[in-house]
């Protein structure tokens, strides 16, 4: 419980940074002709993804090492340095798998709607429960992937044993 406020702090900083990025992209889109806006979008997207990958293990660092919000983010950037492309690949695969599951579920819901001739209570309830289940599974897998990345980064960078890091999951 004592880590909840710092964890919310990390989340708030990420949220504010994303809002700032959207504002900058919007301003760039208004000020620069179409090709300039596209270039600004790509540059900001790449910079944003790199930054998010850099701070991706901030919460495990915060929980395990108790460095505070900015200390955890700085430590996360140091841990992920040189490993961001592989992390991007793993997270992209997870994202695409989650997207595929969500699309299959949407197709299934569409078929149920068609079978029951439009919106029905059964289809709506099934859709709601299914959506919650998919979001829960995807969130859990993403959280475990980030925690596992933290453990692996600590092993590679510092030679920390898995037994020492098992406390994160206990």
């Amino acid at each position: 419980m004592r880590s909840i406020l710092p964890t919310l702090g990390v989340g708030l900083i990420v949220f504010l940074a994303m809002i700032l990025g959207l504002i900058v992209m919007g301003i760039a889109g208004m000020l620069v002709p179409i090709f300039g806006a596209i270039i600004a979008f790509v540059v900001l997207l790449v910079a944003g993804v790199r930054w998010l990958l850099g701070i991706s293990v901030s919460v495990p660092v915060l929980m395990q090492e108790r460095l505070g919000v900015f200390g955890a983010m700085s430590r996360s950037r140091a841990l992920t340095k040189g490993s961001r492309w592989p992390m991007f690949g793993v997270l992209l695969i997870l994202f695409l798998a989650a997207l595929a599951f969500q699309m299959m579920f949407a197709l299934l819901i569409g078929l149920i709607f068609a079978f029951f001739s439009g919106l029905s209570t059964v289809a709506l309830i099934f859709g709601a429960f299914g959506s919650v289940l998919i979001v829960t599974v995807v969130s859990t897998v993403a959280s475990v992937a980030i925690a596992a990345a933290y453990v692996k980064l600590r092993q590679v960078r510092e030679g920390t044993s898995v037994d020492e890091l098992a406390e994160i999951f206990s």
Side-chain angles (χ1 to χ4, degrees), residues 53 78-89 153 156-157:
L53 287 168
L79 279 173
T80 59
K81 188 174 184 175
S83 300
R84 293 184 189 141
W85 280 112
M87 288 178 65
F88 177 75
L153 288 167
V156 169
R157 301 238 185 267

Side-chain angles (χ1 to χ4, degrees), residues 75-133:
R75 172 86 165 122
S76 176
R77 289 188 55 76
L79 279 173
T80 59
K81 188 174 184 175
S83 300
R84 293 184 189 141
W85 280 112
M87 288 178 65
F88 177 75
V90 169
L91 293 175
L92 180 63
I93 290 168
L94 288 174
F95 171 77
L96 293 175
L99 186 62
F101 281 119
Q102 289 172 338
M103 290 173 68
M104 288 187 303
F105 183 72
L107 178 63
L108 178 63
I109 292 298
L111 291 173
I112 290 172
F113 283 169
F115 181 74
F116 287 108
S117 299
L119 293 176
S120 71
T121 306
V122 172
L124 289 173
I125 291 172
F126 180 74
F129 280 116
S131 294
V132 168
L133 180 64

Side-chain angles (χ1 to χ4, degrees), residues 4-25:
I4 197 152
L5 288 178
T7 302
L8 290 173
V10 169
L12 181 64
I13 290 170
V14 170
F15 174 75
L16 293 174
M18 293 175 105
I19 295 296
L20 179 64
L22 288 173
I23 291 170
V24 169
M25 284 191 321

Side-chain angles (χ1 to χ4, degrees), residues 29-46:
M30 290 187 309
L31 296 177
V32 182
I34 187 83
F35 294 114
I38 292 171
I39 291 169
F41 171 77
V42 170
V43 167
L44 287 169
L45 182 68
V46 169

